[in-house]
Amino acid sequence: MADRERKLTSEGVVTYAYILLYIALSSGQIFFNKWVLSSKEINFPYPLALTLLHMVFSSVLCFVLTKVLKIMKVEEGMTLDIYISSVIPIGSMFAMTLWLGNTAYLYISVSFAQMLKAIMPVAVFILGVAAGLEMMSCRMLLIMSVISFGVLVASYGEININWVGVIYQMGGVVGEALRLIFMEILVKRKGLKLNPISVMYYVSPCSALCLLVPWIFLEKPKMDEQLTWTFHPLVLTLNCLCTFALNLSVFLVISHTSALTIRVAGVVKDWVVVLLSALLFADTKLTLINLCGYAIAIAGVAAYNSHKLKKEASRVSSDESQAASSIPLVSSSTSNA
């Protein structure tokens, strides 16, 4: 009995350690990117180039881990048709999300960018309905209205609002919503289940290529012309490594807990980012309207997560009951004999 209690305690400690690791890495990566892009700090104000570095680093590291060192395994089942129809759209949307999201940090504060991200479930739901993955209902419309209202209130309370940054951030939200939709199509319709390493192995090179073309035409001429920026190999390598570690931490949390835990941890992380950004960055000034609006939006996000998880749980139980009913009983099989 004592051994069992010690085992449960140790498992609990490990689980909470993974959750804290995810919150720390996710929050830290947001601040790290802002710090690198800031002209007053590291002075590397090229979000497209930074995102391209992330994807190239992730591609190389995934190849080394899976093909050279063979520490991790790439899931099988990938075909050319699936790669073209699913992986390329996922990679392009992932590139769009990271590029536009990082660019937004040049114009708006970290806390306000995080508040705008709360609109994500609305974008996912609308695109899901259009793709036939979601069903329109009065309850979901109410939840989406609450989230939208909260984001509007938070935006109204922003003191130094920059519409260029808002457009970039909302573009990143749409890109992330499309990526999630394509991921759901890949799993549900294609029937392919991939671990995070496999996803990054296939998606990262595609994202890197999608970022390379706009970088050559949009940022490379600026980088060649403006020589005021600085390149810190050690800092940028560490930044890329943190991005890769963040993706792995998501897998660790989900594998040791559940989807509900990662979503709850994500809400906690959002509040940590919003509050800490007010302390770390001079361009962040939170108002009471900001916080009230964000609280309303987070309440809507919590309701959305709860609805989705209940729906997933009912689907799983339904599948299990169907599987059980399809298995013939021993008594009936022996009587027929």
Side-chain angles (χ1 to χ4, degrees):
M1 191 68 180
D3 292 338
R4 184 181 178 184
E5 289 180 355
R6 279 196 296 269
K7 184 179 179 181
L8 291 174
T9 302
S10 61
E11 289 178 354
V13 170
V14 171
T15 299
Y16 281 112
Y18 285 140
I19 294 173
L20 291 175
L21 177 65
Y22 161 74
I23 293 174
L25 285 174
S26 184
S27 305
Q29 187 61 33
I30 293 172
F31 295 134
F32 202 170
N33 287 344
K34 174 74 173 181
W35 186 56
V36 170
L37 293 169
S38 175
S39 58
K40 298 178 182 178
E41 303 295 341
I42 295 299
N43 190 28
F44 189 76
Y46 300 102
L48 189 50
L50 180 63
T51 309
L52 178 59
L53 283 174
H54 289 168
M55 292 300 98
V56 171
F57 182 88
S58 179
S59 301
V60 173
L61 191 55
C62 283
F63 180 81
V64 171
L65 291 175
T66 57
K67 300 301 182 181
V68 179
L69 300 179
K70 296 183 179 180
I71 298 175
M72 298 179 178
K73 181 182 178 183
V74 177
E75 299 291 336
E76 298 179 355
M78 180 62 65
T79 63
L80 181 62
D81 176 65
I82 294 176
Y83 193 89
I84 294 174
S85 62
S86 296
V87 175
I88 290 180
I90 291 171
S92 59
M93 290 302 103
F94 192 38
M96 173 182 170
T97 299
L98 296 175
W99 169 24
L100 298 181
N102 285 333
T103 304
Y105 292 139
L106 297 176
Y107 301 93
I108 58 178
S109 65
V110 171
S111 62
F112 186 47
Q114 206 66 28
M115 291 177 187
L116 292 176
K117 285 182 182 179
I119 203 73
M120 176 70 69
V122 178
V124 173
F125 177 71
I126 293 173
L127 293 172
V129 171
L133 298 172
E134 297 280 358
M135 293 295 293
M136 187 68 72
S137 65
C138 294
R139 182 175 182 180
M140 288 302 291
L141 282 175
L142 177 61
I143 293 173
M144 297 301 109
S145 299
V146 170
I147 296 174
S148 301
F149 176 73
V151 173
L152 285 174
V153 172
S155 301
Y156 179 77
E158 182 67 12
I159 298 175
N160 300 317
I161 189 169
N162 186 309
W163 290 107
V164 175
V166 171
I167 292 172
Y168 274 120
Q169 185 61 44
M170 297 310 293
V173 167
V174 172
E176 177 65 7
L178 286 171
R179 185 183 76 87
L180 294 174
I181 293 297
F182 286 130
M183 284 290 291
E184 192 166 354
I185 291 174
L186 178 65
V187 173
K188 286 188 175 181
R189 296 185 181 176
K190 306 292 184 180
L192 187 62
K193 296 183 178 180
L194 302 173
N195 60 43
I197 286 293
S198 299
V199 172
M200 295 305 295
Y201 177 83
Y202 290 119
V203 170
S204 296
C206 178
S207 297
L209 289 176
C210 291
L211 291 165
L212 180 62
V213 175
W215 175 75
I216 291 175
F217 292 100
L218 296 178
E219 280 194 354
K220 188 177 184 300
K222 294 180 181 179
M223 296 177 73
D224 293 337
E225 181 181 351
Q226 301 173 358
L227 300 177
T228 56
W229 57 279
T230 54
F231 186 87
H232 297 273
L234 182 60
V235 173
L236 293 175
T237 301
L238 184 59
N239 184 263
C240 293
L241 188 60
C242 287
T243 302
F244 188 82
L246 173 59
N247 293 324
L248 290 183
S249 71
V250 174
F251 169 67
L252 290 173
V253 173
I254 293 177
S255 62
H256 283 78
T257 56
S258 65
L260 174 61
T261 303
I262 195 70
R263 291 182 180 183
V264 172
V267 173
V268 175
K269 179 264 299 181
D270 291 341
W271 275 109
V272 169
V273 171
V274 168
L275 297 176
L276 281 182
S277 62
L279 300 175
L280 296 176
F281 297 105
D283 64 345
T284 302
K285 294 181 180 180
L286 295 176
T287 65
L288 184 60
I289 298 177
N290 272 147
L291 296 176
C292 288
Y294 189 53
I296 294 171
I298 288 297
V301 172
Y304 172 81
N305 288 340
S306 176
H307 177 78
K308 289 287 290 183
L309 289 167
K310 287 179 181 178
K311 187 176 179 180
E312 291 174 4
S314 62
R315 180 181 58 80
V316 171
S317 62
S318 176
D319 292 342
E320 290 177 350
S321 62
Q322 288 179 2
S325 62
S326 65
I327 299 174
L329 297 176
V330 176
S331 57
S332 61
S333 63
T334 53
S335 61
N336 290 333

